[in-house]
Amino acid sequence: MVLNFKNTRMKTRIFQYLLLSGLLISGFGCVKDVSPSDAINTESLATTQDGILNVTNGCYALFKDNIEFNGTVDMNNNYLRQYFQLCDFASDDITCGQVTEDPLFYSFTLSHSPDQSNTRFFWYVSYKIINSNNTIIEIVDKVSDKTNDMKQLLGENYFLRAFCHFNLLKFYSKPYAIDPDAAGVIIRSSTTEPAQKARSSVKECYDFIISDLKKAAGLMNASRGVKYASKEAAWAFLSRVYLYMDDETNAIAYADSVINSGSFALEDATGYKTYFPNAATSPETIFLIAFTQADNKGKFGSIASMIYSDGNSGWGEEFASSSIRDAMSDHREDARWAYIDSLKDDDGGIVKKNGIETFYIKKFSYQDGDPNLSSPVMFRLAEMYLNRAEAYAKQGNSDKALDDVDMIRQNRGLEGSLYNRVIPNGYTALKVVLKERRIELAFEGHRAIDVYRNKLQMDRSYWGYHLSGLKESDIDLSTKPTGYANEIVDYTNPRIIYYIPVDETLANPLCLQNP
Amino acid sequence: MPLVAQTTVRGRVIDSKNNQTIPGVTVSVKGTYNAVLTDTDGNYKIDVPTSNGILVFKFVGYKTQEIEIGDKVSIDIAMNQEDIALDEVVVMGYSQKKRSEIASAVSIVTADKMAGVTTPNVANMLQGKVAGVEIVNSSGAPGQEAEVRIRGVASVSAPQGPLYVVDGIIGGSYDANDVETITVLKDAGATGMYGSQANGGVIIITTKKGKSQDTQFEFKATLGKRVADQGHLKMMSGSELYDAQKELYRDYASGKIDILKFYSERPRELRTRNFNWEGNMFQPAMVQNYYLSARKANEKSSYYIGGSLFNEEGTLINTGYKKLNLHANHTYQFSDKIRVDNNFNISAYDGTSYDYMDMYYSYLSLPWDNPYDSSGNPLFVDGTSTSWWSRDKINPLHTIKNSNHEYKGFDVNYDLVLDYKITNWLSFSSSNRLSASTTKSHDFVSKLAAGTYYGKGYINESSGLDYGGISTDLLKFNFDGKIHSFSGLVGVEGQQDHFESLGAEGKGLPEGFSVPAVASKELLIHGYKDASYMQSFISQFNYNYKSKYFFTGSYRIDATSAFPPKNRNAHFPSVSAAWLVSNENFLKDLKMVDMLKLRASYGITGMKDIGAYKYMGLFDLSTQYNSDAAAVPYQLANPDLTWEKTEQFNIGFDLGLFDRLTINLDYYRNVTRDLLIQVAQPLSVGFEKKWENVGRVNNNGLELTLSTILVKSSDFQWTFDITYGTNSNRLKGIDTPIYQTLNGISQIYRNNGELYVFNLPKWLGVDVQTGAPLWEHLEKDANGNVTSRTPTSEYADATAQEVGHALPKFQGGFNTFLKYKRVSLSMNVSYMYGNDVYNFTRKFMDNDGHEPYYNLMKWKSGWSRWKTPGDVATHPSIQNSALSTENSSRYLEDGSYLKLRNVTLRYEIPQNIVKKLKLQQLAVSFSGDNLLTLTKYWGQDPEVTITPSTYVMPGVSDFKYPPNKQYVFTLEVKF
């Protein structure tokens, strides 16, 4: 009897303990769903209003951010830094003052390879932006009743998709004017298409870009300002695209649309001297990428760092070449000299770095007084005049071409030296236009493609470490260098463009490499 | 009511074989905590109840004896030496087993084997002592923990380290001085009980506990010096560099050096300048450790409390690490049925770290630069300095003086264990741990420091808070029969963990201030939170027949929040069996064989720590555009993602012969399936990779441990152990190879290949006629077979091929211990063979003239520079060396090494002096760590990391904090 009683009491106690612990555990280890505290789940994007705005803003952010690539975040890897360096370091506007292990050096020496981290990153981040664009386009396309704001965002995404494809073509494919049937880049227009895809031809890519831009222009009626794409930016871009295609009529028509829109005005000579640090508020700017103080990359990664330094702010290893300075030397009153500045020593002489005279470039400095901060301009009004002038010159209309060139000159302090429709000796209208274009748009990512799409030669017979094997002791600034390889680069040289990244050709065999 | 009467029993304990008295024997009253220890003459006296007392005599290495007290007042006994191999009790995590019963591959390291190693972390104590366990010190930075790998690398993406269990509960914190035993569980037979956390093996730490009725105090003080060990790496002196730079002025065509140009650009007085950067940046540093503990046990309770203070200065100036740890455990026997344990551990640490660039410049700055001004202060150097020769106008000594990289943290662990004996065969135990920790890091650069923060300053502070707990509730049963014995457990476990971080970063700090509040520009804030949950069902069943045949089976089910809802649960079964052949009648009487056990096990373990949210498609919100919120594509979705599982099969035997020799041999085959791999996507998709479960890794290996007692007499002892482990690693089931690249160095993971195989152009040397670098170009046919191999001097034509592997062929250690009367000497050596190391620093320090303003490393004998056609040289002509420093097998070196890890000489002060001081034991020792490294590797240190992470690739040696040679003096006191 006693035993039985003890047994039940024991049993109850056991059950009590088990119940208690069961409660403890189920409360304790209850497996809940955990969501990240700082990221948006793709599935929820379509359902929140904010989501589409945030992702579109993210596309702009990708132009300036250093994102993880190859397992690391390299401060040197951001879209815009590579964009300007890949173009201008291969041109005759900038000379190299110091040998370096950084792959930017290969743009100077033309010793490209498919595993350069800068070209691989540029390809990758461009397509990441395109993927974002495609995600938004697919979501918004399904919405039946789009608000004006939503249409604006949709238009911006079309614009950016076209912009990224166009810039990819610039670096990885032959210019349209040389061969429209050459291999272009991979067109990505959907998030669900197969990962393996071949390159489209240059012409197919241009058609795709034009179609995107026309859609964009039609949708963007609620502009968010110059820090974002707008209808006028789409027109300005179309003007550039048609110019590169040698379609003069359309290039002129779209340049006209922008110039006659009344929304923009050229900076005058005084205003131009402080234009770039204040581009966001200037009437000349059509579209730029906004950098805030939080985006200041400092010495390790700002666009300014390689081409400008105040002693500490940057590396300051690449300088304005003697070639561009000679082109501008006739007119020291030119307002555009404000952006070329040499480092002087205590006696007033120009300091040399490894034998090369320092001529810093200031177009990417001094926003908010910081030597490394600027919001780079992608489209501005001056380019529209120059696009139009080049198109007129190619149509044979030299008067109108020179008028547009003069329009620029009289706003750059050269009102005393206008062409007044007279072509100087030894020049053609086209040469005059291209020279003005070079000086006006120097260091803004235009020169290399402007030279090659016009089937000209790049002449870099000036001192700099692009000359392989150069020793400081070989430099004699009073003469020009002779006998070095790659001083003159012809437009037929396969190295006017870069190799497709090795990661792409390995994982996507349908994408063929450049010769 | 009369109290239970007490009498005093006395006696002496001797060894039955040699009649020597045995000090330190625990004499206790059975079933209570009433215990004393025999003194140095083997005598004891203990108070016992006058009714029903049984005295239990226990001592390590001897068979426990029980004697009924009856009415005796004097009990002398002779103890018999034990078969350690059979009777030692081993903590296996959720349960305990006698060594004879263990059917798995388990290694045990006791405190005495770890003595002599002064380190704040336990992994260092295990180096070279456990077969199959690879311990790598990838950095000599103070406070840095060693990396541990058990039985090869089983995963590509997941952290590889073992699970740590402290005092029976997963997780926890401790100090090396509090450790009594470390048990390493290697195969699934043993680790299966830990299920999804056990892919990397399990290391169980048991801390010291109270043993005797007299309070025992232990004090240990260690003091010593450490110096940086740069291995074979030596940088050139001012005059050596000066002479080497003449090569830059050689004319290629004529082969002659233009000496006039050289002198015009390199003034002769440079040759006399020689600032020793290495000697100034790395200085001898002091290390100290103080430890004090007290412990006691009586019939109702036992306790242990220990405190340890560790302070090491770093050899790189302005680095260091300090740690204070308090550990206490307390056991209270409420009644003969209920026991409660309370343990807690508090630890606080404070360290000063360094910036990678300061390390970089310590090696590469030119000896022609004097970083001190005339008053002896570090010189300010920036881009405008014209008399600074080094390439990058920066003075690391000045930067270090004007910056600070500090980190600190604090963690608390509290354990509450309840053990309830329901009947004599059934008990219930509830083990619970609550833990919380905080960390804070502080990176500060003053506005006075030259470089990117000049004039602005920079501060970045970040704090983290981590808290969570675990509760394990088990029912345990145990039937001990003469023929059949059963035991086992069944229960549940729940874990949760929460993490929050907060950080602020900014610039524009006024001079002399270094907190985030004073930063005035470029302000950024960071912060996020995270949580994880896991619930498990645990069970185990053990059976043995006549202590000859043993069988264990376990089954665990885990559910975790890390995986998508449809793959949340996983099952982990395991079985193991052993045959104690030496207990069979035909072997029992064979004196030669102490123990022969054959065992086999099979089980499945898993891996859950892949980081959260891997299955979701994500847009990252932590950026902005024009100060508006911006979201950037971050991860491709995979709703089918699931666990990695490893099937493990192990067979082995343990053999003890002549009381002198023990051999343990294990063979294992592990297959890890459903590998979590980030599969490369074509970049034009906009993502580099996507998480998928793809492929398998096979790890097959052999482990051998040989322990011998060469000499064992009353005065002289000599033991010698060898451990050896070899592992072969194969990746299977992936169709397209996966490439991982960092700093341009590529590793390939392909079908039938090993992990961490270097995939680079093959360096062929220098062209004899032109002095140009040569790599190999391969032509392949349509099937991928190589049809021709030709040398080329064009780097773009060099074909990447498999040129080396980071994983070793075999590794292990030797340990020996000699003792003569009161003097003992121990030595520990560890070795590794067959691993290749990519010497990335040579790209900078051996740069063929590409960087004339970086210092160079002193050459290995046999290296030579090409000068004129016909020269057979190892290094190309400086005038014809385009791309010669690009990544290739040129810098891939043999990283095999043999290291003398520790030598300790110890002297026990004679007992007559010790007694006069009223102490129990006093000893002094001298030891040296890392005294000798034998290796062909021509760089800092062939020991490189084996853990992949954001900035790190396994097998690559970048500028790292050098390891240290350490010389210490230790004083041990027991009283």
Side-chain angles (χ1 to χ4, degrees), chain B residues 815-870:
Chain B
N815 306 291
T816 184
F817 178 77
L818 294 101
K819 188 165 182 187
Y820 179 68
K821 298 214 181 158
R822 285 188 310 278
V823 179
S824 67
L825 175 71
S826 74
M827 284 204 326
N828 170 238
V829 168
S830 73
Y831 61 87
M832 185 181 283
Y833 181 80
N835 52 316
D836 296 318
V837 177
Y838 191 88
N839 195 346
F840 183 66
T841 59
R842 272 179 65 193
K843 187 178 180 129
F844 303 90
M845 302 195 217
D846 186 18
N847 60 58
D848 295 333
H850 296 179
E851 295 286 2
Y853 298 104
Y854 275 154
N855 198 0
L856 297 172
M857 63 194 298
K858 287 206 234 231
W859 274 4
K860 200 171 185 171
S861 80
W863 286 1
S864 59
R865 173 82 57 199
W866 189 97
K867 299 193 173 98
T868 55

Side-chain angles (χ1 to χ4, degrees), chain B residues 768-801:
Chain B
V768 172
Q769 289 313 310
T770 65
L774 288 173
W775 300 277
E776 200 174 64
H777 169 79
L778 300 176
E779 283 296 334
K780 295 193 181 153
D781 64 18
N783 297 326
N785 300 317
V786 175
T787 52
S788 80
R789 293 172 190 272
T790 45
T792 172
S793 290
E794 289 297 320
Y795 185 73
D797 290 336
T799 321
Q801 41 179 308

Side-chain angles (χ1 to χ4, degrees), chain A residues 391-412:
Chain A
Y392 279 139
K394 285 177 175 164
Q395 279 183 337
N397 195 334
S398 69
D399 284 349
K400 285 209 167 142
L402 290 175
D403 280 347
D404 277 337
V405 170
D406 278 348
M407 184 62 178
I408 303 280
R409 288 170 80 83
Q410 70 199 29
N411 282 294
R412 300 290 180 255

Side-chain angles (χ1 to χ4, degrees), chain A residues 25 28 33 37 40 42 54 64-65 70-72 128 188 227 290 293 295-296 299 311-312 473-474 504, chain B residues 261 265 382-383 452 454 473 496 521-522 529 568 617 619 623-626 631 633 683-684 688 950-951:
Chain A
I25 301 311
F28 215 69
D33 273 333
S37 56
I40 304 177
T42 314
N54 292 338
K64 63 173 175 67
D65 284 346
N70 268 185
T72 183
K128 192 182 271 292
R188 289 283 181 199
K227 295 175 180 174
Q293 282 208 2
D295 303 308
N296 189 339
K299 185 173 183 181
N312 278 295
S473 41
D474 297 333
E504 181 75 36
Chain B
K261 228 190 224 180
E265 291 184 8
D382 73 354
T452 189
Y454 181 68
D473 300 85
Q496 45 176 282
K521 53 179 161 181
E522 293 173 52
K529 18 182 226 196
R568 205 145 264 181
F619 277 82
T623 183
Q624 49 76 32
Y625 179 71
N626 196 25
L683 293 182
S684 58
E688 285 182 89
T950 313
Y951 296 101

Side-chain angles (χ1 to χ4, degrees), chain A residues 231-240 254 258 286 379 384 387:
Chain A
K231 177 160 54 195
E232 291 81 9
W235 291 339
F237 191 6
L238 278 162
S239 163
R240 186 191 288 180
Y254 280 104
V258 179
I286 301 173
F379 291 95
M384 295 302 107
N387 287 352

Side-chain angles (χ1 to χ4, degrees), chain B residues 74-134:
Chain B
S74 166
I75 301 178
D76 292 337
I77 69 156
M79 293 189 76
N80 301 312
Q81 284 183 11
E82 187 180 56
D83 293 323
I84 295 183
L86 293 174
D87 299 333
E88 192 178 348
V89 170
V90 179
V91 173
M92 301 279 284
Y94 291 110
S95 57
Q96 285 183 331
K97 291 217 171 92
K98 279 203 248 173
R99 257 220 218 225
S100 53
E101 299 173 328
I102 297 176
S104 329
V106 169
S107 296
I108 300 142
V109 183
T110 49
D112 52 322
K113 288 252 152 92
M114 300 187 279
V117 183
T118 304
T119 167
N121 71 78
V122 126
N124 285 334
M125 295 167 126
L126 292 176
Q127 235 161 3
K129 297 189 175 118
V130 181
V133 176
E134 186 187 340

